[in-house]
Amino acid sequence: MGAAMITRFDQIAIDLPRPRNPSPNSAAAVQELLGGKFGEMSTFMNYAFQSFNFRGRSKMRPFYDLIANIAAEEFSHIEIVSYTINLLLTGATKRGSDPTATPLASALDARNSYHFIASGQQALPMDSQGNFWTGQHVFSSGNLKLDLLHNFFLECGARANKIRVYEMVDDPTARAMVGFLLVRGGVHIVAYAKALEKLTGVDVGKLLPIPDISNKRFPEAKKHEDSGLHRILYQFSPNDYTEFNQIWNGEHPEDGSELSVQPASNEGATPPDLDEEPQLTAPLGPDIDHQMFADVAAKLGDDVKRRSARKRAKTAASRPRR
Amino acid sequence: MGAAMITRFDQIAIDLPRPRNPSPNSAAAVQELLGGKFGEMSTFMNYAFQSFNFRGRSKMRPFYDLIANIAAEEFSHIEIVSYTINLLLTGATKRGSDPTATPLASALDARNSYHFIASGQQALPMDSQGNFWTGQHVFSSGNLKLDLLHNFFLECGARANKIRVYEMVDDPTARAMVGFLLVRGGVHIVAYAKALEKLTGVDVGKLLPIPDISNKRFPEAKKHEDSGLHRILYQFSPNDYTEFNQIWNGEHPEDGSELSVQPASNEGATPPDLDEEPQLTAPLGPDIDHQMFADVAAKLGDDVKRRSARKRAKTAASRPRR
Amino acid sequence: MGAAMITRFDQIAIDLPRPRNPSPNSAAAVQELLGGKFGEMSTFMNYAFQSFNFRGRSKMRPFYDLIANIAAEEFSHIEIVSYTINLLLTGATKRGSDPTATPLASALDARNSYHFIASGQQALPMDSQGNFWTGQHVFSSGNLKLDLLHNFFLECGARANKIRVYEMVDDPTARAMVGFLLVRGGVHIVAYAKALEKLTGVDVGKLLPIPDISNKRFPEAKKHEDSGLHRILYQFSPNDYTEFNQIWNGEHPEDGSELSVQPASNEGATPPDLDEEPQLTAPLGPDIDHQMFADVAAKLGDDVKRRSARKRAKTAASRPRR
Amino acid sequence: MGAAMITRFDQIAIDLPRPRNPSPNSAAAVQELLGGKFGEMSTFMNYAFQSFNFRGRSKMRPFYDLIANIAAEEFSHIEIVSYTINLLLTGATKRGSDPTATPLASALDARNSYHFIASGQQALPMDSQGNFWTGQHVFSSGNLKLDLLHNFFLECGARANKIRVYEMVDDPTARAMVGFLLVRGGVHIVAYAKALEKLTGVDVGKLLPIPDISNKRFPEAKKHEDSGLHRILYQFSPNDYTEFNQIWNGEHPEDGSELSVQPASNEGATPPDLDEEPQLTAPLGPDIDHQMFADVAAKLGDDVKRRSARKRAKTAASRPRR
Amino acid sequence: MGAAMITRFDQIAIDLPRPRNPSPNSAAAVQELLGGKFGEMSTFMNYAFQSFNFRGRSKMRPFYDLIANIAAEEFSHIEIVSYTINLLLTGATKRGSDPTATPLASALDARNSYHFIASGQQALPMDSQGNFWTGQHVFSSGNLKLDLLHNFFLECGARANKIRVYEMVDDPTARAMVGFLLVRGGVHIVAYAKALEKLTGVDVGKLLPIPDISNKRFPEAKKHEDSGLHRILYQFSPNDYTEFNQIWNGEHPEDGSELSVQPASNEGATPPDLDEEPQLTAPLGPDIDHQMFADVAAKLGDDVKRRSARKRAKTAASRPRR
Amino acid sequence: MGAAMITRFDQIAIDLPRPRNPSPNSAAAVQELLGGKFGEMSTFMNYAFQSFNFRGRSKMRPFYDLIANIAAEEFSHIEIVSYTINLLLTGATKRGSDPTATPLASALDARNSYHFIASGQQALPMDSQGNFWTGQHVFSSGNLKLDLLHNFFLECGARANKIRVYEMVDDPTARAMVGFLLVRGGVHIVAYAKALEKLTGVDVGKLLPIPDISNKRFPEAKKHEDSGLHRILYQFSPNDYTEFNQIWNGEHPEDGSELSVQPASNEGATPPDLDEEPQLTAPLGPDIDHQMFADVAAKLGDDVKRRSARKRAKTAASRPRR
């Protein structure tokens, strides 16, 4: 009844540097990597549904485990892209509670008006043109070979999009995020290539890189590859999905390094504490009931104390488990 | 680098009874609860994005923790609805590899043709009319009061849809799933009512039930409420999101029982092993390369042995945390 | 500040006979005439926006008045189509408050599941396939000749759809509605033909009927034409939009009868009192708070008395104008 | 046969000041209030359909009357937003009939190209990103409590959007319109809160304002509230919908003032006479057939004379009712 | 000025047998192969746009020629699928001009109402659920390797859909069409596999067949493969696109037969003369102006004579080229 | 089996001058003429489907031939608009293979981000707001009179859009294209007017021009009309579709010149050789496998030689027919 299908941790994949400046149009471009046809919503949802839907899994366990495990990683990717967008939008308009000061004037010419009207300078599951992600982007034919081919293509398409957004945006937050995702998405490309190879004997990995430009040309990706991050598929479950190691093994098709499986760790980065935007009443407006707010604040004060105490204690505690 | 933002478990929320019969039109109806405007994709994605997007969270931690934690539970809901659909579709067409036998003839009059053409008799993120879920269903204004009001409304709308699908479908798989989700969704309704109350002092919970028909009238829900499931908000994280207990406390607005927080357990149900549908080449077609298949199968054979061994060992092992 | 741009009357255009039987699939077909590309939402919204948008109207007043006045009539058309749908859906499922009786079982095979899940057996702005009406169907180029040509084409397309729905559905409610709308839509076709003729001298009316089948072949339309309804353009304003009489004059292009302008009357039909559908908790569910409900009911009891009294007094009272 | 369901008046809700400058991007932002998910198309259509669809209305008359009457007011809101957009677009490009002068050059960088290609610098039912309004935004579950909760949420969401558009645009036309609609929309928020309270006893109004920023902070709204406009629900029918006064009564939840019902008056403002945009052939192009145009113009000349005469006579005439 | 970019021939790809019976639901299923995500609209438009868009073609001519030439073949595929749909819909309703006979009654329960309302029992660019084809299905990244991978995947997905529609529909018209397209689509799969191989050296063809079921299992495809149709890529231009022979050569990856290039012939099949459907006024209604119709008919009479004469002369004449 | 339904030629309709400068926002505006509701995708697909769908064609041959033949011309129009877009986008970003140089920085503020992320600075079937073309824009009612009226309206709407895009963009490439299409689209307007006239006797052509501004005011169109291009309907088939000459005859309604039919010639213009955009890896990225690339290049080298030789020989060769 009360079992967890997922457990969640209040952390993000990497430390995100703060943007040099707020940049609404950069945030708008980055949306493609979140809610575009080839964005992280697509990879997350494709693999989640393929894992729910996998028929005959008892006979084909390693393939099921591979897809199900990668799905788990993708959740963290919609999260990290969302935080990047949020950071790029933080402070993008004039702070304050007086609406007559036209605090959102700068939004008038911004690429994506939903960031300022529908959201409080925050990410939404839409693409760089403000078109919303749709379930039509999920492919789940039930035929394993076709689904794997799809996933391989999807990841290559996603890679092309990441490269292009990188080339549009020179903001360090965005580039740190894209660099990291080029590497992790690269792992998924290889994983699906390996799966196709196990199934058919064709060395699909030799097609890589697609597009034909190496991750090594992106400093923010290269640093991760230099430390071997492109060789590791993490296991996002304490005990389950273990058989994908029958697929994720051998050599990396691009640099010949040895592939390895590792358990996911509990050493994530702290999520940014996103600043308030009072002109957007985010999170509260100036006319919140004052007595009520004071009461809530009092409790929160207590919490802050408790939280600090807990944090100190936490370092020793184990998180996922192992 | 390799930290988990979520860990995933190869289990589902409840044991799903097998359908009395395959029922494509029941599966089509159940899709509304997955990919409809008020389906589980909507609840999952609304709370996930609101958690990524929460501004000023250090001051408003309990609200952030509440939303983030409920998001984690919702993932398991898209999963359980998907499995229900998959079970209802299993065996819905004539099994076999000879296409000239028109094995999918019965699909011609089924409500949703995508189940048979786009998927291999499997769930997709679409609604009961075959329209795909869209990111437009995500609301994240950044204003806490408005977002909470939205979530309260969303859950009530979702409840109405569940009730109506229950009234359309008398299949035991579907009803077991709906009964369970009526209770868990009911917990989320109360959670957002409590959050609004903490913020404003208005006892929103007194509006319940919306629609004005009690969960107790649904035997598959009542049995869970009898065991107290409607009073418990599980913590889907070993150490994080702990402060939602400042919101989830006091009395249940409908029956006055005491609310409590409990850690999510590791006692989920085993996911159904979904049967193969060879006529849909799901997962493999009859002309898979035989030598290759034999090699893969050999490995799989080894795996099966290892797996059985591991399973025996597993009962003693702890899973998420505790 | 408190002026009316429209006033509304609690009446409908014609008396609608009750359906012989509930007929969900007929209701689904009729939706095309409401929310389809050529449905009444399209005619209403096209003319409403063209009237808001009319540039240079002081010089071209009769054309502005024509479009603005027809827009007002179209509101009553979305209403009458909606009531037709609602009547066809009334009683379509098993009445009662016990969900375990699977009261909506018959909905499982109905064409449009939204009627039973999203609405309470009621109309929504969607078409016969359950696709929603979209503002993309509004054409407002600002060029008068082109807008008039559009409107002429739109009405002809709408007429074709009405004919085809008539041919699909033999229910008397639907046919009474379609017969009436064939005549009133026919008036609008002629009105736009006349407007094009005034502007260009081309006798566009000679193209009629489009499609080339006369309204006289539809008994439910013929009876209205026999009484001259196809010759009259009503003025839906006490004092405004008077100059369209410069366009609506001369002979009817199909039968040569004399066109005339008349003020809209206050003799509409009483809207059907739509039955409750308790299984859909429409309007209330079985677990409405009883004390509260009793209080409200008490007031309503008083109201019923007052209402009856008022009704008797009302016959003498004047309504719109005259 | 020829009865009016609505009568229309050639007037608008308030006098709109002229914009300081044409401002295409302001017009684009204001579109959100017309065709966005929370725009006036949504409020108008939600209440119109809920009124058509109301089951069991004889027992629940005050609620039906409330919704039906508010629907009537919303028509004037799509109108006033459209006029605001049209005024902001008037003169936005270079006037003249020579296409080689690239008169629309400035449109190349404007936010919304449809304003210049699909329309003649005019409003369309779309949002601030140029996505069209869709019938999917209409909610009509048939359950009264749920529909009222929806309407309450919808109006709060609409209020948030109005506030944000106000903060983006400092043009006096837009702000006059938004200020007025904040007050009238505020009336609708309270109306639905009161309706929920009558039905359930919960003082939902105490949640207000949502978002938590008062209308009093917006000078263009405050002036209307100072004159009491926020306390009045107008009756948009001479004799019908009278029973909503059983709901709209008591104190205003924000300032405790006494609520009152008043008949809609006939003292609307004169609609702006929108300038021609010859470069868009709006309303006519330079090559209109000259003889034909002269003939039409002659008639129009006569009309202008007649119209002036009539206008003088009109002051004495009564309009809607009373 | 007056040059042809394409020339068109009044013929279709193969002789289509007449359906055993009209079958609206079969027609609805076949729509997936026309307007679905993986339908012929997608293949046609993908390759057409990739050919318009090909950058650096002078250096990569064989690839450009391949894509441009296949695009030309795809036009004939949207045509042949459309004719199949039209034949399946011919006679599906009661013939006659009297609307009161409810001639479209059978359409009420048909899967796709657009076939009877929007079209005259005819094909439209939509899929099996009546959702319209969208340009979002076109992929044109500009990167050759990625575009080829996409095309390879697209064709495999299209193949899966064809197989499933074949399994749903046992009508001989549909199966003749699908059998033929399985072979021709199979040629395109191999073509893109060969192109990828030329570019990268990876023998992608070894992945085939995807899904892993051979065309030989489909008698209507097998007969074409027996005659070698799967080995031939036709040149759809008298003199252009000649260099694709550098890609289309060597062995067929599935049966090792020798690939060859051949000029397209002028020996197409005669398009079916689609019967009139008078109840749909297709092509004319009963009230077409009689004198006018007689005049047109007289001319047509003359034409028929001329046409017969010409037909006799035509056999000797050359058509496309050679 | 191997017959051509179309043959394709590697040429375009007119010589396109090079843009003065790359202009992404001009390219974005021109997209309306490709993928907008009234763009060339709409004209092409409307006539293509109407030709596939024509019922009773043996009796109404000239109308069928007219529509089928115009469809063939429209293919060349989607091509020429695409090339215009591609030329306007060529060089729009900084050339080079180093992504860290932020080569796409200028794209950040461009109107349409898909041009830089989804495509390689290339055309896609979308409109000026980046919304994709949809099959919903295809109208095919089966009633000839209604379909012809639609086509007449569609072409007039398309003409309005062309005029407005001309007025937005002063680039010579765009204006050459628009000027040409104004004339050819004008031919189609007249063709459908003539067809309506043959069918009904109404001289619909007298409505022209719609909008009321003459093509003669556009120098890039006037030059073509001066040479008579507006009087000629080309036959896009060697031997088929010959009977449209029964419709296309008599006088041009605007200038009284004599209409004529001519065979399409083989003297098209050479398609622009679109420059590579290495920063978009279009067509290849910097890390293409070098040995492989050398091998391909060697073959291509041979090809270039062969191609030059062939080109010299080609002038004498006949292309389509004649």
Side-chain angles (χ1 to χ4, degrees), chain C residues 15-274:
Chain C
D15 263 315
L16 287 173
R18 295 298 141 132
R20 270 194 301 269
N21 306 295
S23 177
N25 281 13
S26 296
V30 172
Q31 282 281 163
E32 190 74 27
L33 307 187
L34 178 57
K37 198 170 165 182
F38 293 92
E40 300 297 333
M41 282 290 292
S42 286
T43 49
F44 178 35
M45 282 299 147
N46 266 280
Y47 312 147
F49 276 95
Q50 287 176 17
S51 69
F52 305 153
N53 290 349
F54 204 108
R55 292 190 174 281
R57 73 182 68 166
S58 61
K59 290 196 199 150
M60 311 293 288
R61 177 70 55 176
F63 298 96
Y64 168 72
D65 281 4
L66 184 80
I67 293 168
N69 185 70
I70 294 178
E73 180 164 9
E74 299 291 3
F75 179 83
S76 72
H77 291 182
I78 63 168
E79 187 182 47
I80 196 81
V81 183
S82 295
Y83 273 103
T84 301
I85 292 165
N86 290 339
L87 289 170
L88 287 164
L89 290 169
T90 294
T93 57
K94 203 162 36 179
R95 294 253 165 83
S97 282
D98 178 8
T100 66
T102 325
L104 305 185
S106 68
L108 208 57
D109 301 323
R111 173 166 224 109
N112 190 321
S113 55
Y114 295 154
H115 280 152
F116 304 92
I117 301 179
S119 87
Q121 292 175 196
Q122 299 158 328
L124 289 172
M126 57 185 172
D127 71 11
S128 62
Q129 286 284 114
N131 289 322
F132 286 97
W133 187 84
T134 151
Q136 192 168 31
H137 298 327
V138 171
F139 184 85
S140 176
S141 75
N143 181 258
L144 182 58
K145 214 200 282 184
L146 184 55
D147 286 355
L148 291 172
L149 177 62
H150 167 269
N151 297 352
F152 179 74
F153 164 67
L154 173 65
E155 290 283 354
C156 291
R159 186 171 183 269
N161 282 14
K162 282 171 198 133
I163 290 170
R164 290 171 179 190
V165 169
Y166 183 101
E167 294 183 327
M168 286 171 79
V169 180
D170 72 353
D171 170 84
T173 315
R175 287 199 165 181
M177 176 273 290
V178 174
F180 175 72
L181 291 187
L182 276 172
V183 177
R184 296 310 305 161
V187 166
H188 300 167
I189 295 177
V190 173
Y192 291 119
K194 289 277 174 183
L196 275 168
E197 187 187 350
K198 299 293 176 190
L199 197 60
T200 67
V202 182
D203 191 355
V204 176
K206 282 211 176 130
L207 291 163
L208 303 178
I210 301 175
D212 22 32
I213 178 169
S214 167
N215 278 355
K216 320 287 189 200
R217 289 178 184 263
F218 301 80
E220 294 83 354
K222 183 173 184 302
K223 73 167 189 186
H224 293 304
E225 300 217 343
D226 289 348
S227 72
L229 191 67
H230 63 308
R231 308 183 294 101
I232 307 167
L233 193 49
Y234 295 98
Q235 184 179 342
F236 288 96
S237 186
N239 298 307
D240 298 332
Y241 313 120
T242 56
E243 295 188 27
F244 69 76
N245 63 7
Q246 295 180 41
I247 291 169
W248 185 261
N249 55 42
E251 291 187 1
H252 191 287
E254 288 182 73
D255 66 8
S257 59
E258 185 70 19
L259 305 182
S260 81
V261 172
Q262 294 189 12
S265 81
N266 62 356
E267 280 143 35
T270 304
D273 193 351
L274 300 162

